[in-house]
Amino acid sequence: MSGNAAIARGAYEAGVTVGTGYPGTPSTEILENLARYAPEVYCEWSPNEKVAFEVAAGASLGGARSIVTMKHVGLNVAADPLMTLSYITVEGGLVACVADDPGMHSSQNEQDTRNYARFARVPLFEPSDSQEAKDFMKLAMEISEKYKTPVILRSTTRVSHSRSLVAQEERRAPGTVGLVKNPSRFVPIPVWGRPMRQRLEERLVLLKKEAEASPANRIEWRDRKLGIITSSIAYQYVREVWPEASVLKLGFSYPFPDALINQFASGIERLLVVEELDDILEQHVKSLGYAAAGRKFVPGIGELSIDRLRASRAKLEGCEMPQDEPSPFSQDLPPRPPVLCPGCPHRGVFYALGKHDVVVTGDIGCYSLGAFKPLDRMDSILCMGAGISMAHGLEKAGEPRKVVGIVGDSTFFHSGITGLLDIGYNRGRSTIIVLDNRTTAMTGHQDHPGTGRTLSGEPTKALSIEEFGRACGIDRVLTQDPYDLDATLEAISGELEADAPSLIVFRAPCPLKERKRVGMRRVVNPELCKGCKLCLKLACPAIEYQGELPVINPIFCAGCGLCEQVCPAGAISTEGKP
Amino acid sequence: MSEKIRSVVLAGVGGQGILLASEVLARAAMIAGYDVKTNEVHGMAQRGGSVIAQVRYGPEVYSPLVARKSALVLGALEQIEALRFADLLAPDGLAVVNAQAIVPVTVSMGAAKYPQDIESRLWKAFPKLIYLKAAEMAKDLGNIQAANIVLLGAVSQGLDLPDEAWQEAIAASVKEKFRELNLKAFEAGRSLV
Ligand code: SF4
Ligand code: SF4
């Protein structure tokens, strides 16, 4: 079972009845797995993490056990409800499952969610494999309900996407729901909020005791010459690199279990802290007065691995790591970065934008790949929704070129609407493009408010991006088929010239999701091809070129027809091939 | 059951079916009674980029990730991907490479070159090499999509899992109507010399 499936299983066994979230690698499959337990569990993709968090908080206030799932950067969006929910407290247990991405496999930054636990003064659990992911979810739920506090369960890419064996148990029967009126508990206006602030600190003292006695934290005594404090996936690497060392393994890692740390630190000769990303544990252990080694030997950037920790071990022991040469046969291999899929409907839009000297502020999704050469048509990416708002800021600052903002459909609903509202309200002039492929593609094709389907597969209203645009005060709203290259070029040119803000929705379903070709496969006729290489500007992985004439790989071609429209020599056609 | 942890790396290009192959392998190891950990790539990297799946099994497995020079077998569905991850293979490990070239966009753009001497490089890089035409073998059996399972069959030659575990794992991992095909595909790879 994957770590994510195990987290979902844990939530199910803990009697959770409400699960919410917004897709984000590596967290996405938690909620997808939990949704399989419908109708016992109600699950939804919310428009964004803040909404998801608040929906779960509402359920919890009524007494239901709930979870909310997101990736690390999603917690920034949901930080607002988190920071005050710890004041007003929860009734039914609430666990926020947040997945970090050390190494930035699929993320724009490498922030360490453990900081949020301390920031919001909420307990933190860190599983190191799938069995723990399930067990800790249940423990977290107990702690949450016992102390009426939201809890963070922090996973990482390697915990979420690794599989290991998990023993299953029965589901705990859910309790009854019904909000018990108690304004001095649930309404943090200053007169009631100040005592909440006080209670928050008192609760932390109790939680520290709880962490010190928790089965999630344990000391493994082995050789006492070296003792290692570690948590999460780093524990697994430590066990292979230092099989002989004593280990304090923290699974319930905030509030810091000081009594355990003291007991461990005073029982060993030399102390090392091995943690992925920030040096949170190390700084704390040092603040308790122990001379701990950590960041000096263990890298704080990127993910850890057995190999990196072997180098740490060598450094710690004062010997050089034997540097073995990489195989000469593996030199100068052509890189294979991710690319827009063959037949991707976004491709033509980037190609068309390439014809204009404009600035493009982009956003997060498959279309981030439009930043790579040769499409090379994205100048910035900040965070979800910023594709729209930053375009507006750049335009207001007096950028001499026209500014185009690009977001995807799911991103538009996530946090694009407020940016568009700003443009409509504050008399902006940017051209905003929504690349609407009818799904949240990058994370594996989840539904969203525009798709007309819920997470559980039920039909629902498909909300219109165009109508949102008009409601935000944008008068020039266009819908265009991105596979029609001439019309796409024309739409973009027309809107760039207009002296008013506009919204162009390029709509075509993601062929990867539809699992079918867009049209008939194309072939290059070598007799007509002039070798001008214009078709290569599309960066379609199906068009292969090694110095003679381009050829289209029939296995990959999705038949979108863009290359045929680009080719000035008429060399690309369907030639009757299905 | 010896005390050793066995590590296997499967590599290829996003969309080639690496994940299914690793699932079958993990399941076979589980059926054979081992502790198993696997890791696979999701998200950004699945869009036509290089992908690897890592499987480790043994009496007790800690890390899901394979350390350098420790894999017993490296199976690759694409040639340059075999070389890209060659570093993970133990010096006496077995490499199983599908004789297929998928030209990366970086090459089509002219930013890089696909090594023309690929086959001789493979023979030099891997002292123990099975170089097979998995796609053609799968096509002959009726479906080119089963190339991943042909490859897995060849990979199985370097592992100590029993036939029954493999068969049961395949049956449990693929749809009923593809079962026969995949069992045959596996056998074709396993019996290759
Ligand atoms: S655009 Fe047409 S003529 Fe030019 S290289 Fe491509 S196929 Fe050949
Ligand atoms: S080869 Fe041409 S028709 Fe086929 S997917 Fe690529 S751009 Fe579309």
Side-chain angles (χ1 to χ4, degrees):
Chain A
M1 201 182 262
S2 74
N4 280 347
I7 292 173
R9 177 71 203 178
Y12 173 75
E13 290 178 7
V16 163
T17 54
V18 175
T20 65
Y22 182 81
T25 313
S27 71
T28 314
E29 303 82 10
I30 302 173
L31 204 57
E32 288 181 325
N33 277 287
L34 189 60
R36 302 209 172 108
Y37 297 108
E40 286 174 275
V41 188
Y42 167 78
C43 287
E44 69 166 42
W45 289 127
S46 309
N48 66 35
E49 295 86 354
K50 179 177 185 295
V51 174
F53 202 107
E54 293 156 354
V55 172
S60 150
L61 239 54
R65 286 190 165 190
S66 61
I67 68 162
V68 52
T69 74
M70 63 198 74
K71 67 187 292 177
H72 58 332
V73 286
L75 191 53
N76 301 331
V77 180
D80 202 358
L82 168 69
M83 298 302 291
T84 305
L85 186 61
S86 61
Y87 280 53
I88 75 167
T89 70
V90 305
E91 185 54 34
L94 187 155
V95 178
C97 310
V98 186
D100 285 3
D101 191 14
M104 298 169 66
H105 297 278
S106 215
S107 306
Q108 66 270 36
N109 80 19
E110 203 179 51
Q111 66 186 56
D112 187 332
T113 292
R114 295 179 300 158
N115 291 297
Y116 267 111
R118 207 157 47 153
F119 192 20
R121 295 170 159 71
V122 299
L124 174 71
F125 282 83
E126 295 182 75
S128 72
D129 64 14
S130 299
Q131 182 67 52
E132 285 188 355
K134 198 202 79 164
D135 295 343
F136 288 6
M137 165 54 87
K138 294 168 80 174
L139 278 175
M141 202 48 89
E142 294 299 329
I143 294 292
S144 172
E145 218 163 82
K146 183 167 172 193
Y147 294 93
K148 309 271 179 240
T149 172
V151 174
I152 296 176
L153 181 89
R154 179 219 189 208
S155 179
T156 68
T157 299
R158 300 305 185 180
V159 174
S160 283
H161 289 161
S162 294
R163 288 170 199 274
S164 55
L165 309 181
V166 175
Q168 307 200 352
E169 290 155 296
E170 293 288 298
R171 174 169 164 90
R172 169 191 181 277
T176 49
V177 173
L179 182 110
V180 182
K181 197 174 161 70
N182 188 352
S184 68
R185 177 173 163 204
F186 295 140
V187 183
I189 52 172
V191 53
W192 289 326
R194 289 189 196 105
M196 291 180 193
R197 172 79 186 82
Q198 207 67 42
R199 289 198 291 272
L200 183 57
E201 296 305 316
E202 291 159 12
R203 193 199 308 148
L204 274 183
V205 176
L206 300 177
L207 282 164
K208 189 181 276 287
K209 293 239 154 27
E210 192 73 51
E212 284 164 350
S214 172
N217 294 330
R218 65 167 185 265
I219 294 178
E220 300 172 1
W221 289 120
R222 281 179 281 270
D223 184 359
R224 304 220 175 191
K225 276 201 206 67
L226 179 71
I228 300 175
I229 304 182
T230 187
S231 71
S232 187
I233 191 75
Y235 166 79
Q236 307 292 355
Y237 307 143
V238 163
R239 288 295 291 121
E240 297 208 20
V241 175
W242 285 275
E244 79 291 354
S246 293
V247 172
L248 168 55
K249 181 189 180 301
L250 298 182
F252 182 172
S253 53
Y254 186 83
F256 302 108
D258 289 346
L260 267 183
I261 297 172
N262 287 332
Q263 186 197 346
F264 185 67
S266 45
I268 44 133
E269 283 171 37
R270 192 172 186 192
L271 190 60
L272 174 69
V273 180
V274 178
E275 57 193 322
E276 219 164 30
L277 301 183
D278 295 348
D279 55 354
I280 298 173
L281 277 172
E282 180 189 350
Q283 292 307 331
H284 180 72
V285 169
K286 283 182 172 161
S287 79
L288 293 177
Y290 298 106
R295 190 49 18 95
K296 215 173 129 204
F297 301 97
V298 181
I301 299 176
E303 64 176 344
L304 298 179
S305 65
I306 293 180
D307 294 315
R308 289 185 94 186
L309 288 184
R310 280 197 181 130
S312 302
R313 177 170 188 156
K315 209 167 155 193
L316 190 72
E317 291 168 359
C319 45
E320 275 302 302
M321 184 73 174
Q323 274 301 326
D324 35 14
E325 294 293 305
S327 157
F329 310 109
S330 300
Q331 302 293 305
D332 57 77
L333 294 178
R336 194 188 301 273
V339 281
L340 291 175
C341 301
C344 173
H346 304 333
R347 178 168 282 112
V349 177
F350 287 117
Y351 179 81
L353 278 169
K355 305 265 176 218
H356 296 277
D357 183 24
V358 290
V359 179
V360 182
T361 55
D363 219 300
I364 302 199
C366 280
Y367 48 96
S368 303
L369 298 170
F372 291 136
K373 281 194 161 81
L375 292 171
D376 192 15
R377 218 53 213 102
M378 203 171 264
D379 298 302
S380 75
I381 290 179
L382 179 60
C383 60
M384 298 281 285
I388 295 182
S389 338
M390 284 178 80
H392 181 60
L394 202 56
E395 184 246 301
K396 288 293 179 189
E399 165 62 42
R401 287 160 293 181
K402 259 290 205 177
V403 188
V404 177
I406 295 193
V407 298
D409 43 344
S410 191
T411 309
F412 179 82
F413 290 112
H414 179 283
S415 41
I417 297 168
T418 40
L420 199 60
L421 189 61
D422 191 31
I423 293 177
Y425 169 51
N426 284 312
R427 307 162 56 107
R429 289 193 350 260
S430 310
T431 302
I432 302 302
I433 292 177
V434 179
L435 297 173
D436 180 5
N437 59 359
R438 317 298 303 142
T439 184
T440 317
M442 182 57 103
T443 47
H445 303 111
Q446 288 74 30
D447 282 293
H448 62 63
T451 64
R453 259 168 49 113
T454 67
L455 169 56
S456 45
E458 284 158 348
T460 181
K461 279 194 177 145
L463 301 175
S464 155
I465 296 170
E466 288 87 340
E467 276 178 43
F468 268 109
R470 282 185 278 268
C472 289
I474 311 296
D475 297 327
R476 303 179 67 94
V477 177
L478 263 73
T479 311
Q480 181 55 50
D481 169 10
Y483 291 125
D484 183 340
L485 194 58
D486 284 337
T488 295
L489 283 160
E490 205 176 301
I492 291 177
S493 309
E495 293 316 304
L496 284 177
E497 274 161 31
D499 194 29
S502 49
L503 177 70
I504 319 176
V505 181
F506 285 102
R507 179 169 296 133
C510 169
L512 194 66
K513 172 170 193 209
E514 304 285 302
R515 292 177 173 279
K516 60 169 195 245
R517 279 199 296 277
V518 186
M520 300 226 283
R521 286 195 195 103
R522 302 306 200 268
V523 284
V524 179
N525 180 338
E527 303 205 329
L528 296 176
C529 175
K530 302 205 161 46
C532 71
K533 303 203 276 190
L534 267 179
C535 54
L536 297 175
K537 291 221 154 68
L538 290 169
C540 174
I543 309 179
E544 300 183 347
Y545 176 77
Q546 293 197 67
E548 285 163 28
L549 293 178
V551 272
I552 294 177
N553 188 331
I555 299 178
F556 298 120
C557 176
C560 71
L562 273 182
C563 53
E564 180 174 342
Q565 298 174 64
V566 163
C567 175
I572 303 181
S573 66
T574 54
E575 295 238 308
K577 298 231 167 127
Chain B
M1 232 183 259
S2 90
E3 286 301 304
K4 227 175 87 208
I5 296 175
R6 284 85 154 167
S7 300
V8 183
V9 175
L10 299 174
V13 177
Q16 276 192 306
I18 286 295
L19 297 188
L20 177 70
S22 81
E23 188 189 319
V24 173
L25 166 50
R27 197 166 252 156
M30 195 177 85
I31 292 166
Y34 291 104
D35 184 24
V36 187
K37 281 192 178 164
T38 74
N39 185 270
E40 55 202 42
V41 175
H42 291 237
M44 196 67 128
Q46 277 179 318
R47 297 286 172 273
S50 304
V51 290
I52 67 166
Q54 315 183 42
V55 181
R56 304 186 77 215
Y57 64 91
E60 185 169 18
V61 182
Y62 295 104
S63 163
L65 298 188
V66 176
R68 293 183 57 215
K69 297 199 187 304
S70 75
L72 273 184
V73 189
L74 164 68
L77 276 168
E78 206 279 352
Q79 305 171 115
I80 53 173
E81 299 312 317
L83 290 175
R84 204 185 303 283
F85 299 106
D87 224 20
L88 293 171
L89 188 66
D92 60 345
L94 168 70
V96 179
V97 182
N98 178 22
Q100 191 183 6
I102 298 176
V103 181
V105 172
T106 48
V107 169
S108 298
M109 273 162 48
K113 278 208 158 51
Y114 198 99
Q116 294 306 308
D117 58 341
I118 184 76
E119 187 173 345
S120 72
R121 272 208 208 193
L122 289 168
W123 287 107
K124 281 182 215 150
F126 303 116
K128 280 206 276 184
L129 173 69
I130 301 181
Y131 189 58
L132 78 169
K133 293 192 156 92
E136 263 122 274
M137 289 167 69
K139 207 168 172 183
D140 289 344
L141 290 169
N143 192 338
I144 192 161
Q145 301 291 341
N148 54 349
I149 303 298
V150 174
L151 183 97
L152 187 65
V155 164
S156 77
Q157 295 188 29
L159 302 172
D160 54 359
L161 299 174
D163 280 323
E164 311 78 64
W166 287 109
Q167 282 153 8
E168 205 182 318
I170 291 168
S173 307
V174 303
K175 285 210 190 86
E176 172 86 55
K177 64 172 174 171
F178 296 119
R179 189 172 297 170
E180 259 332 282
L181 168 77
N182 279 292
L183 285 171
K184 270 196 224 139
F186 183 83
E187 217 22 68
R190 191 165 172 81
S191 53
L192 203 73
V193 277

